[in-house]
Amino acid sequence: MKILVTGALGQLGSELVPALRSLYGASNVVASDVRADANQEVATSGPFEPLDARDGVAMGDIVRRHGIRRIYHLAALLSAVAEREPQRAWDINMNALFAVLEVARENSCSVFTPSSIGAFGPNTPKDYTPQDTIQRPTSMYGVTKVAGELMCDYYSRKYGTDTRGVRYPGIISNKTLPGGGTTDYAVEIYYAAVESARYDCFLSGNTYLDMIYMPDAVKAAIDVMEADPAKLRHRNAFNVTAMSFCPEEQAAYIRKHIPDFEITYTIDPVRQSIADSWPNSLEDYAARVEWGWSPEHDLETMTADMLNVLSTRR
Ligand code: SER
């Protein structure tokens, strides 16, 4: 199985690429990214191609040259950046996906596309948000995510392209920082706890959001693509979650390891209003039944692992 990953130097790519390389062989996983600073592990531990994912011609060339059969399309702007630059967010999030789907259609590739809790909106049921429900997001990020979900379903129905994906909650990791998301606080808080035992949070203390630890996020991406297609009733945008918590609760779990940890709040109105429009907690029954989704980490084990990894790295 030859695989192309777009956005490979981002938060998810920098941990998914090594996992894919150890599973399918380093030479079979081509990492690509628009950034020129391609000297990170993913760019040196196997094939790397510089690629602006909006460039379908260049992508088609890479796919044919390497005999690619599966594309993990991770290149996208996150919610807070997208809200600052909505035109650029539409351009990158939609045109790159369109290029990927066309290349996949022409070259018979399967496609993984991450959607997000951001695909939901203020009218969505907030607790145990069902798989199939009203969405109508109000952020530009959410608009591109819903449109992306529909485009992936369309290519599957119309052309038989094997499109699959999950709706990720906030992803927490310790290798590469997320860039400009609403859930970034839940990552920053661990770095700050280890550095200075204090964190000034940009969301209010009682804002509940779904989260997932990176090893589970990587597992979801691999497992949904390896799932038996006969068992998939949905294809794209499976709700997946591992935990739901608010900053106050996360701080309490950090205090079990760093008792004098302090959290303060300086609310960012843009990110707070995005967070308020998203669900408190997802229901991920379809993913569990259709392809065996089952996360391994909860807030307690993730907090212990994050603090352990970050403090040994200091
Ligand atoms: N982590 C993402 C964000 O905050 C949600 O998909 O934008």
Side-chain angles (χ1 to χ4, degrees):
M1 170 67 71
K2 289 249 185 182
I3 297 173
L4 172 67
V5 181
T6 71
L9 300 184
Q11 186 198 15
L12 180 55
S14 46
E15 301 203 38
L16 179 62
V17 168
L20 292 172
R21 282 184 174 154
S22 73
L23 199 59
Y24 300 102
S27 61
N28 291 325
V29 180
V30 180
S32 74
D33 202 287
V34 72
R35 280 182 277 176
D37 59 337
N39 55 0
Q40 301 174 24
E41 190 198 330
V42 295
T44 51
S45 63
F48 180 85
E49 299 273 358
L51 174 68
D52 181 333
R54 291 169 297 184
D55 186 346
V57 174
M59 194 188 304
D61 177 54
I62 292 169
V63 162
R64 283 182 288 275
R65 221 164 359 96
H66 290 274
I68 300 291
R69 311 302 302 163
R70 179 172 294 172
I71 303 173
Y72 277 90
H73 175 47
L74 310 183
L77 293 193
L78 291 182
S79 58
V81 182
E83 216 43 40
R84 266 201 311 275
E85 301 179 79
Q87 294 78 6
R88 190 164 154 254
W90 177 267
D91 178 29
I92 292 175
N93 290 9
M94 294 318 302
N95 289 327
L97 177 61
F98 182 68
V100 166
L101 290 171
E102 277 296 284
V103 167
R105 178 178 72 81
E106 287 168 359
N107 297 277
S108 305
C109 299
S110 56
V111 179
F112 172 86
T113 311
S115 186
S116 161
I117 51 172
F120 295 113
N123 300 323
T124 302
K126 279 226 169 292
D127 297 305
Y128 300 104
T129 304
Q131 173 67 40
D132 302 307
T133 186
I134 190 161
Q135 297 191 240
R136 301 201 68 78
T138 45
S139 70
M140 176 50 85
Y141 179 69
V143 169
T144 66
K145 285 296 168 189
V146 169
E149 292 180 1
L150 295 174
M151 282 291 278
C152 290
D153 280 344
Y154 183 83
Y155 269 69
S156 164
R157 245 192 334 268
K158 176 94 174 172
Y159 301 115
T161 307
D162 186 1
T163 56
R164 305 186 193 185
V166 300
R167 291 187 185 123
Y168 278 124
I171 301 177
I172 293 163
S173 66
N174 51 50
K175 206 163 166 187
T176 303
L177 289 169
T182 300
T183 57
D184 292 13
Y185 90 83
V187 181
E188 293 169 5
I189 195 170
Y190 291 121
Y191 282 80
V194 168
E195 280 301 312
S196 60
R198 55 175 54 236
Y199 179 62
D200 191 37
C201 187
F202 58 77
L203 295 184
S204 68
N206 59 357
T207 306
Y208 279 86
L209 290 169
D210 284 280
M211 302 284 172
I212 189 172
Y213 197 29
M214 182 60 93
D216 284 325
V218 165
K219 186 158 76 92
I222 292 172
D223 288 356
V224 75
M225 294 310 290
E226 287 296 327
D228 175 359
K231 297 211 175 107
L232 297 182
R233 205 168 63 75
H234 300 83
R235 297 200 71 88
N236 295 290
F238 280 97
N239 284 3
V240 292
T241 187
M243 59 194 100
S244 162
F245 59 77
C246 63
E248 269 170 19
E249 283 176 2
Q250 195 180 13
Y253 275 82
I254 290 173
R255 272 187 215 108
K256 292 186 184 182
H257 303 265
I258 305 173
D260 58 349
F261 176 69
E262 271 180 48
I263 186 162
T264 52
Y265 298 94
T266 307
I267 308 303
D268 168 11
V270 173
R271 284 179 287 187
Q272 184 67 53
S273 92
I274 293 173
D276 289 342
S277 76
W278 290 354
N280 296 333
S281 64
L282 298 186
E283 176 267 284
D284 57 6
Y285 182 72
R288 288 173 184 270
V289 168
E290 293 180 40
W291 50 276
W293 164 243
S294 171
E296 276 163 22
H297 287 277
D298 58 17
L299 179 55
E300 183 160 10
T301 62
M302 177 180 75
T303 298
D305 198 53
M306 281 295 285
L307 295 176
N308 180 34
V309 171
L310 294 177
S311 51
T312 49
R313 204 186 284 157
R314 282 183 85 198

